Amino acid sequence: MLVEDNEIDVMAFERGIKKNEVPNPLTVAENGQVALDILRGEHPTKTVGPQRIVFLDLNMPIMTGVEFLEEIRRDPELNSTVVFVLTTSDHEVDLVAAYKKNVAGYILKSRVGDACRNLHDLMRSYWRIVVIP
């Protein structure tokens, strides 16, 4: 799942998945509240499978990434979800807040750039080798 409100970033992520032949389906949520609704099976049209990895932007309207992390970590059905932060924020406060909520990694969009293939390789490898509850 990609939780991202910037349509250009969504399109870039989708292109990267297609180009790098990542076989897993991608569900996109435009903010943290929509992502929670999808993960809880409460969204009217979108669903996501039981094995989930979330790439999360922090700066979004309605429910920010940090608020999403707080909510997901409190939910016994979702608290084991693997979350990678994928954001423009290089503020130490955001970094610390994310890791306090047990993110698997904090990735700056500015550092991904041409290394987008590495991000998708990471995702593909993660799905193949890591056992997720």
Side-chain angles (χ1 to χ4, degrees):
M1 172 182 274
L2 174 63
V3 186
E4 173 63 67
D5 65 321
N6 183 310
E7 191 61 35
I8 293 172
D9 289 344
V10 170
M11 291 183 335
F13 197 87
E14 289 172 331
R15 273 194 313 272
I17 284 179
K18 186 174 182 177
K19 181 179 178 183
N20 293 295
E21 299 175 356
V22 176
N24 307 86
L26 177 67
T27 301
V28 177
E30 59 270 15
N31 64 59
Q33 185 59 59
V34 172
L36 282 174
D37 291 347
I38 293 168
L39 290 169
R40 291 176 173 154
E42 299 169 355
H43 193 277
T45 61
K46 295 181 181 181
T47 60
V48 68
Q51 292 185 337
R52 47 192 173 256
I53 296 176
V54 174
F55 286 89
L56 176 68
D57 187 17
L58 292 183
N59 302 312
M60 295 177 291
I62 302 174
M63 178 183 279
T64 68
V66 172
E67 292 168 334
F68 171 83
L69 284 168
E70 290 170 355
E71 195 64 34
I72 201 170
R73 295 305 180 219
R74 279 194 296 258
D75 187 322
E77 297 295 318
L78 300 175
N79 64 11
S80 64
T81 301
V82 177
V83 179
F84 289 92
V85 170
L86 182 59
T87 187
T88 56
S89 176
D90 62 354
H91 299 294
E92 186 76 16
V93 172
D94 290 336
L95 178 70
V96 170
Y99 276 112
K100 282 185 177 180
K101 299 297 179 201
N102 300 317
V103 297
Y106 193 98
I107 303 163
L108 291 174
K109 290 177 185 178
S110 63
R111 291 191 182 171
V112 172
D114 293 333
C116 193
R117 178 172 177 76
N118 294 336
L119 176 61
H120 293 96
D121 285 343
L122 166 71
M123 189 168 73
R124 189 173 339 138
S125 295
Y126 200 93
W127 272 108
R128 272 194 242 134
I129 62 175
V130 174
V131 178
I132 300 174

